[in-house]
Amino acid sequence: MQRPEAGKPLIKFNHCKKYIYSFSMPQCCPLCGQVTGSRKLEEAPVSISDPFTNGHQEKCSFLLRPTQGTFLREYDGRSDLHVGITNTNGIVYNYTTCGVQRDEVGWEQSVSIPLLQPGMFGLMDQWDKYLEDFSATEAWLPQRYEDDHHNCYSYTLTFINCVLTAEGKEQLGKREFTEKYVVPRTRKASKYITLYRAIEERGFYVTDRPDEETNPPEGSGSC
Ligand SMILES: [Zn+2]
């Protein structure tokens, strides 16, 4: 079984008029070599939010992860993704060629999207039974599985639409679902992965600060 690996946290700080990303605040700036321990507020490190969460700790959520391997190690932006739905105990229901799986491990590094609006306690009480009954229907027998048309996405989308209906909301189409739920998250995850791997390789990563790029050259003010 694959070792569940949590990524190291990332930080960002200002130095040399650049943004510098790293796993931890270095003693010296990697660009100018000066000691970084200044007490200037604008040089204090800020943490970068990690787009991944342990899916087994998420209730009533939609989860996304690479079919093979993990986001931080293996994902290349085109890798196949696998999706599932958690119950209230972090068990991940997902549809595969073997039928509906109920995973207790393997989703430790997932992109997670909560499916219940805060305060929908009635629905949360029934969630596990609802998910279990839904999964037991004939639609999700192993022999019904088809790579392109009846897969893990069909399973989660059909379930999400049942929830939306129960909440009195409109259903989502496949395209809308992908654009609204999947694409923005995988895009954000891809950016984070690029940054993460660059830091792993070189120890830090540097970008221009937007305010430094847009500042007019000195003396060009109109006043
Ligand atoms: Zn510096």
Side-chain angles (χ1 to χ4, degrees), residues 14-47:
N14 278 322
H15 216 267
C16 298
K17 298 184 175 174
K18 303 273 188 194
Y19 283 138
I20 304 173
Y21 296 82
S22 182
F23 288 127
S24 59
M25 190 70 182
Q27 297 264 311
C28 303
C29 168
L31 301 178
C32 67
Q34 278 182 22
V35 175
T36 51
S38 101
R39 276 189 278 165
K40 281 189 218 158
L41 192 58
E42 71 266 22
E43 287 178 16
V46 292
S47 55

Side-chain angles (χ1 to χ4, degrees), residues 12-215:
K12 176 177 87 171
F13 61 97
N14 278 322
H15 216 267
C16 298
K17 298 184 175 174
K18 303 273 188 194
Y19 283 138
I20 304 173
Y21 296 82
S22 182
F23 288 127
S24 59
M25 190 70 182
Q27 297 264 311
C28 303
C29 168
L31 301 178
C32 67
Q34 278 182 22
V35 175
T36 51
S38 101
R39 276 189 278 165
K40 281 189 218 158
L41 192 58
E42 71 266 22
E43 287 178 16
V46 292
S47 55
I48 302 295
S49 72
D50 180 343
F52 309 115
T53 50
N54 181 349
H56 299 291
Q57 289 172 359
E58 302 293 322
K59 288 178 184 199
C60 314
S61 297
F62 169 75
L63 299 183
L64 199 68
R65 68 158 169 82
T67 308
Q68 304 286 333
T70 67
F71 274 115
L72 284 174
R73 297 256 159 256
E74 289 88 2
Y75 184 69
D76 70 358
R78 295 184 305 275
S79 316
D80 278 343
L81 292 170
H82 190 43
V83 297
I85 306 268
T86 60
N87 72 2
T88 61
N89 294 310
I91 295 174
V92 186
Y93 284 61
N94 60 103
Y95 184 51
T96 72
T97 49
C98 303
V100 176
Q101 307 298 301
R102 294 157 181 83
D103 296 341
E104 292 182 36
V105 290
W107 297 76
E108 289 78 7
Q109 197 183 94
S110 301
V111 171
S112 165
I113 300 157
L115 293 174
L116 277 188
Q117 305 291 320
M120 299 293 282
F121 298 116
L123 207 50
M124 192 184 295
D125 283 345
Q126 296 168 52
W127 188 271
D128 292 351
K129 185 183 178 327
Y130 209 49
L131 184 58
E132 189 55 49
D133 290 350
F134 171 80
S135 303
T137 57
E138 278 183 16
W140 315 112
L141 288 172
Q143 59 268 32
R144 297 283 300 276
Y145 188 90
E146 277 179 67
D147 258 348
D148 294 328
H149 303 295
H150 198 71
N151 52 25
C152 61
Y153 281 92
S154 331
Y155 170 80
T156 56
L157 177 57
T158 309
F159 184 74
I160 288 168
N161 277 331
C162 289
V163 174
L164 289 172
T165 305
E167 286 181 318
K169 292 188 195 142
E170 265 186 61
Q171 302 212 345
L172 285 174
K174 191 179 175 186
R175 190 169 155 188
E176 201 185 350
F177 169 69
T178 310
E179 281 169 6
K180 194 169 161 185
Y181 282 74
V182 183
V183 176
R185 266 83 180 185
T186 50
R187 195 174 287 149
K188 193 175 166 216
S190 289
K191 279 190 190 163
Y192 186 86
I193 291 164
T194 306
L195 185 63
Y196 191 93
R197 289 181 187 159
I199 296 171
E200 255 187 339
E201 208 180 304
R202 297 191 286 273
F204 64 95
Y205 184 81
V206 182
T207 60
D208 287 328
R209 272 167 39 183
D211 52 328
E212 293 299 330
E213 287 170 333
T214 50
N215 271 355

